[in-house]
Amino acid sequence: MKQDQWWKKSIVYQIYPKSFQDTNNDGIGNLRGIIERLPYLEKLGVTVIWLSPCYQSPMDDGGYDISDYYEIDPIFGSMADMDELIATAKKHGIKLLMDLVINHTSDEHTWFKEALADPKSKYRDYYIFREGKNGQAPNNWRSYFGGSAWEKVPNEANMYYLHAFSRRQPDLNWENAEMREAIIDMINWWLEKGLGGFRIDAILNLKKPKNLYKSYPSDGEDGLAFIGKQILNQPGILDWLHELDNRCFRKYNAFTVSEADVADDALTDYVGPNGVFRTTFDFSYTDIDLPATGEWYLSHKWSVAELKAHINHHQLKAQKIGWGVQYLENHDQPRSINKYIPEADRNDTTKKMLATLFMMLHGTPFIYQGQEIGMENIRMHDMNDYDDIATYEMYNRALLAGQSKSEAFDAMFKRSRDNSRTPMQWNDSKHAGFSTATQTWLKTNPNYKAINVSSQEDNPNSVLGFYKQLIELRKADNVYSDVTIFGQFVPVAYKQEKLIAYKRVLNDKELLILVNFSNEPLITNLDSTFKYTVLDNLSPSELEADKIALKPYQSIILANYN
Ligand code: NOJ
């Protein structure tokens, strides 16, 4: 019997626990804070929460450096709080996805500590240790965060360990069967608690080439070569992923969404009917502003035509092969309004336009905390105000590449991961109602008096009100929900380059989504069957029998039925 693919009808909301709600006045969000805010999420229409990591961690990389998979970090509360969160969320009709970080652990994990303390310990082989070559690291890979991907082992003459991310995140050795068993046990332990599933971190990096002594031509000023090219999606990885799927996820009918930018020709293996995950994130349109090397101090100029092409390509392939997910923001991305819209045009209209464009796509929508109220990037003037490890690395590389400090700060205002990690803006009291501490772990965006939940909650014309209406269109009792959820995505080509248009089609029911992604009005022809306006970010629109005039940044959803 085909299992219920419940996630297709879900509205997912990502919580970055450090910044959602503090209840014990230490300036850091916690699990109790999330429990308190469940009614807000239910009212918004959320049915699944993805929780960024809250396991025990030294927090070198915001919790993506886990030192104990079986413990909640004390800054977030206790395992009892976690059990209460799972149970209370269930009462609100909300399932929980945990973040599964199994490419690496923290250097404070007992396995790694044992591996360092005793080279003969069995834990040595849980990680990737190699002797150096000619007094240097085994190869010239650059880690994702910058700098060599190898760290010298203290107190050993010529020994290094591999870390694809920070030096405090040693990579696990997936060739070791005993380590894999331990991970499988851990995943099932969590699933037994009643989770809805997992968001799976950095998973394509698991398989490393056999020969780790090969260096590559450098692709940067630092003489190193980007690690991603050598370790992403290597042959053999699927065996391990199938094992995880069969022995863990499928048994619990769990939803898995992998952080895996999979090439088109490999997608079937990942998200097809027999794929290893239920779905996967696409990076093409969220990373549209990045150069291919990912160095975000150098931004890449993009066009609406490019954005449209990425969206169309991703939608068509995802719906053909399996199931997609949509997102505009997450904890690694800046705020979408800053990324996609020029400064002069950043306002509620453009925020609603982005919301329409993304929420109406085919696939499960993921909303990142604060996106629903239109939170924005934060301008910092002092490096001490930043927390994110990747921001520090990128700042150093920007200076190394010859940028001035002010250029580097401009780049961080555009792209630092801290832009989306600032405290959630609940109201206009101190620290936006996030915390009553003297200082919060990361600064609150000074615009919180204008942008916050309380000021929008009861206003249907607010960004929050608009998100609620978009979510409503996916709810079971809504006349359009079968089309918004299951309707095929069909791109509609208009000659205007800055008009993004697509249909959602289910038998004879059709929705047409028109998005004027420009600050100029435009008039375009319209199929006269689209008589009904479902939602408009600028009402009323001028609808004629066979034409429509769209105002700057107007987005409208039309239907051929009601
Ligand atoms: C991807 C996560 O989203 C990011 O925040 C983290 O730094 C890396 N993986 C390493 O775990």
Side-chain angles (χ1 to χ4, degrees), residues 220-412:
E221 291 77 17
D222 53 6
L224 302 174
F226 178 51
I227 190 172
K229 271 199 177 148
Q230 316 308 332
I231 66 170
L232 282 172
N233 210 4
Q234 294 299 303
I237 187 176
L238 285 169
D239 297 343
W240 298 334
L241 299 181
H242 272 300
E243 186 172 23
L244 290 186
D245 196 29
N246 293 332
R247 293 181 55 196
C248 307
F249 312 131
R250 278 191 197 260
K251 266 181 26 199
Y252 293 83
N253 196 23
F255 180 41
T256 50
V257 50
S258 60
E259 192 202 21
D261 202 9
V262 181
D264 289 5
D265 56 358
L267 200 62
T268 313
D269 297 333
Y270 283 86
V271 299
N274 299 314
V276 289
F277 302 119
R278 304 300 77 79
T279 186
T280 179
F281 289 116
D282 177 80
F283 292 45
S284 64
Y285 59 94
T286 40
D287 280 349
I288 194 164
D289 59 329
L290 291 184
T293 53
E295 290 149 313
W296 50 251
Y297 61 89
L298 305 166
S299 57
H300 164 74
K301 265 214 155 344
W302 55 275
S303 65
V304 176
E306 241 177 286
L307 178 65
K308 195 173 5 181
H310 282 311
I311 291 176
N312 290 349
H313 181 77
H314 167 245
Q315 284 280 291
L316 293 172
K317 78 176 178 192
Q319 74 182 7
K320 184 167 158 219
I321 294 173
W323 190 256
V325 285
Q326 315 314 329
Y327 68 105
L328 278 178
E329 299 178 9
N330 63 33
H331 65 292
D332 292 333
Q333 292 285 338
R335 293 294 181 178
S336 52
I337 186 73
N338 293 71
K339 182 194 300 176
Y340 295 112
I341 306 292
E343 192 172 349
D345 299 333
R346 289 178 197 148
N347 52 41
D348 283 4
T349 301
T350 43
K351 287 172 185 177
K352 291 177 192 172
M353 178 203 79
L354 289 173
T356 310
L357 171 62
F358 128 90
M359 284 288 294
M360 292 306 292
L361 293 172
H362 184 278
T364 307
F366 275 54
I367 300 168
Y368 178 71
Q369 66 181 44
Q371 176 186 328
E372 78 279 19
I373 55 167
M375 281 179 63
E376 299 180 358
N377 285 359
I378 184 166
R379 173 97 38 207
M380 309 270 206
H381 302 280
D382 184 337
M383 270 324 276
N384 291 322
D385 288 337
Y386 283 106
D387 175 83
D388 170 33
I389 182 168
T391 301
Y392 279 86
E393 293 288 349
M394 212 43 86
Y395 178 69
N396 291 336
R397 291 195 61 205
L399 298 187
L400 193 68
Q403 282 196 355
S404 67
K405 283 192 178 170
S406 122
E407 284 168 326
F409 271 91
D410 280 349
M412 290 186 291

Side-chain angles (χ1 to χ4, degrees), residues 61 64 101 104 145 165 169 199 201-202 259 331-332 417 421:
D61 181 22
Y64 284 89
V101 189
H104 46 266
F145 290 159
F165 294 89
Q169 293 165 297
R199 175 269 187 186
D201 186 74
E259 192 202 21
H331 65 292
D332 292 333
R417 305 195 297 180
R421 297 179 181 185

